[in-house]
Amino acid sequence: SAVISQKPSRDICQRGTSLTIQCQVDSQVTMMFWYRQQPGQSLTLIATANQGSEATYESGFVIDKFPISRPNLTFSTLTVSNMSPEDSSIYLCSATPRGRNTEAFFGQGTRLTVV
Amino acid sequence: AQTVTQSQPEMSVQEAETVTLSCTYDTSESDYYLFWYKQPPSRQMILVIRQEAYKQQNATENRFSVNFQKAAKSFSLKISDSQLGDAAMYFCAYRYSGAGSYQLTFGKGTKLSVIP
């Protein structure tokens, strides 16, 4: 299995500021994804982080609000910009290992509280 | 668009007993994967079991097994000999198996409590 390290594990931020979440995988992966899990809710895909190109965003999510980087095959970042209390959620990174594209592994998530 | 429905927001089971969590899905595709993920309070999403749609045989992983009914688009999870550590949120998920399609569609989850 792939081990995914996500940092920070939690943070409390002031509204109007930005937070960058890092996701590091211990092996090269084909695809990386960022999900949002609002309190008591299921996971919603924000975007697919593509290596060497711009991320692909799902409906309702835009690059200006959630810029994503993926500089190599093992690392990605998600920034939550100009935060408001509505952005308070758990953000999860997920990855599909090379050669094992039937499985997706997850980081431990980042619990974000915006005050 | 694919949808995944979990109709049981909460379930409880006595320790050592068996419980079944329900999941239905909607898709026009014939080849896909179905998953059950467990999310304990630690927030870590843990893959419990996976089923390939082209396989008629139901997947089994130790105490966890599925009842996959492709025609009915049903994918239930049975947990046998329930343990206290099984208490968590359980999410059913779908993924199309086509090339380049790796994102998961999740249901809303079922919170499972295990009673000692």
Side-chain angles (χ1 to χ4, degrees):
Chain A
S1 64
V3 176
I4 301 177
S5 300
Q6 197 173 326
K7 294 191 295 186
S9 60
R10 61 177 64 224
D11 208 341
I12 301 173
C13 300
Q14 296 290 325
R15 68 174 66 201
T17 62
S18 298
L19 175 72
T20 295
I21 303 167
Q22 299 181 1
C23 178
Q24 178 73 55
V25 190
D26 68 345
S27 59
Q28 292 186 347
V29 295
T30 308
M31 308 291 282
M32 296 182 75
F33 304 91
W34 288 97
Y35 290 86
R36 182 175 73 181
Q37 186 178 21
Q38 294 179 303
Q41 301 297 313
S42 186
L43 283 72
T44 300
L45 182 64
I46 298 172
T48 302
N50 304 306
Q51 195 268 330
S53 64
E54 282 196 0
T56 304
Y57 289 84
E58 298 300 305
S59 176
F61 298 96
V62 295
I63 187 172
D64 289 347
K65 177 67 176 177
F66 298 101
I68 286 170
S69 77
R70 187 165 175 203
N72 57 51
L73 291 174
T74 64
F75 186 79
S76 177
T77 67
L78 169 74
T79 299
V80 186
S81 303
N82 188 25
M83 289 183 284
S84 66
E86 291 71 35
D87 294 321
S88 297
S89 291
I90 296 170
Y91 292 85
L92 294 115
C93 171
S94 175
T96 300
R98 278 189 163 184
R100 297 181 65 185
N101 61 9
T102 60
E103 299 184 37
F105 297 95
F106 286 80
Q108 75 274 31
T110 297
R111 182 183 293 277
L112 171 62
T113 303
V114 183
V115 297
Chain B
Q2 294 80 16
T3 59
V4 177
T5 302
Q6 293 178 252
S7 59
Q8 306 153 315
E10 296 188 29
M11 293 280 286
S12 62
V13 61
Q14 293 280 348
E15 194 175 4
E17 296 295 312
T18 296
V19 65
T20 298
L21 308 183
S22 301
C23 173
T24 59
Y25 59 94
D26 187 27
T27 182
S28 59
E29 306 293 345
S30 59
D31 293 323
Y32 48 86
Y33 303 106
L34 296 165
F35 306 86
W36 279 97
Y37 279 89
K38 169 185 176 181
Q39 187 181 42
S42 67
R43 304 193 305 268
Q44 180 82 49
M45 292 286 285
I46 302 165
L47 177 64
V48 175
I49 200 165
R50 178 186 73 237
Q51 175 79 43
E52 290 88 345
Y54 66 87
K55 290 186 177 179
Q56 292 187 333
Q57 186 174 6
N58 289 324
T60 300
E61 288 287 343
N62 301 313
R63 297 183 294 109
F64 299 88
S65 61
V66 299
N67 183 5
F68 173 49
Q69 300 290 329
K70 190 172 184 179
K73 296 181 181 175
S74 171
F75 182 61
S76 61
L77 174 70
K78 185 172 80 172
I79 306 174
S80 304
D81 185 24
S82 296
Q83 301 175 359
L84 295 178
D86 295 333
M89 284 291 292
Y90 285 82
F91 292 96
C92 179
Y94 165 99
R95 202 202 96 191
Y96 172 53
S97 62
S101 299
Y102 298 113
Q103 62 260 42
L104 294 163
T105 301
F106 288 89
K108 291 186 180 296
T110 297
K111 183 178 181 180
L112 178 66
S113 301
V114 180
I115 303 166

